[in-house]
Amino acid sequence: MTSSDPSGHTAAPANASDSHGLRRSPLHDRHVALGAKFAEFGGWEMPLQYSGVIDEHTAVRNAVGVFDVSHLGKALVAGPGAAAFVNACLTNDLDRIGPGKAQYTLCCEESGGVVDDLIAYYYADDRVFLVPNAANTGAVVGLLAAAAPAGVTVTDLHTEYAVLAVQGPESAALLSSLGLPADHEYMGFVEAEHEGVPVIVCRTGYTGEHGYELLPRANYAEPLWDALLGAGDALGVRPAGLGARDTLRTEMGYPLHGQDLSREISPVQARSGWAVGWKKPAFWGREALLAEKESGPARRLAGLESLDRGIPRPGMAVLDADGAQVGVVTSGTFSPTRKVGIGLALLETASGAAPGGELTIDVRGRRSRVRIVDPPFVPSHVR
């Protein structure tokens, strides 16, 4: 089947084959040729690493990395009043932006739990393109479709587009070398062409570096991938896997749905209230979130930085000086940039834990010292 893309073009679906029940990116053969190691992400078989997580992480921080994130969902909400409809459902306020801008937002339950965090591309009052997480695309599309008023359609385009993230200080130079636009504002997007084929270019990313996300038709993913890697030798370009994507986003303190945000972890608890349009008259979960904001959450996300050789890992208990559990690690890794263990943890507000204070984490029965800090763990260069 084919379907119209956000700008009205016709897009061909990805020719994704299953492997043990998993979907595959339209770039799967390219990853195999590069010797990638694969892992399951949201029902997709995706490249975890090529030359190694630290090498790829460093390339993004110092030069430029190209990620295949085609497992991310894609959906189109179209029809009269589509933007107003989306605005009445998702947390952030589309009235803060205008056509040609993208926005980070949340899809919440009425309880305030987070079904997914996603990016909304505001094309026009009658057209909004959404990029949710892979595993949650069906849930987001289903909720919106069930709530859509007459005349508004919600179309799942998950496999019809690829998404390539070009991230790092040399990312603008890499795009410019291919004749693609690179000078638009952060969270702005433009419709461009490469070799006569439409490509959406958005100034977004998940690494904390200057970067872009490119959305070509799925059947044009391979030529665009080849052009990006082929043009970037002098710029130090590297293909980068989702292992490096995770270490990069953790250094920024960016939340990962299912760990730092979830149906059990609200935006108030996850310090994501900045992505909520508190003055809007309606959005899913509004009353529950307003009540939690007013009363104060029972727990709140905080950064942890190791003071010894211990490395925070998801699920580890966080303990106070008396050995009582006051929280749990939600994300954690060794920081390739800082050369120290870092993590995010949900800490009980009643514990009084605050930035600058010390706690310990339980590392396989051994207590390891950590300091509470405010992320990011390294400076951000996204603007």
Side-chain angles (χ1 to χ4, degrees), residues 7 75 90 115 135 205 279 325 340 372:
S7 56
L90 307 185
V115 176
K279 296 181 179 180
Q325 183 168 350
V340 67
I372 306 169

Side-chain angles (χ1 to χ4, degrees), residues 9 17 20 22 29 34 44 62 70 95 137 171 185 270 293 310 333 336 347:
H9 299 292
S17 59
H20 308 295
L22 300 179
D29 289 346
L34 288 168
W44 291 64
N62 296 333
S70 299
D95 289 342
T137 299
S171 58
E185 295 180 352
K293 181 186 179 188
T333 190
L347 303 180

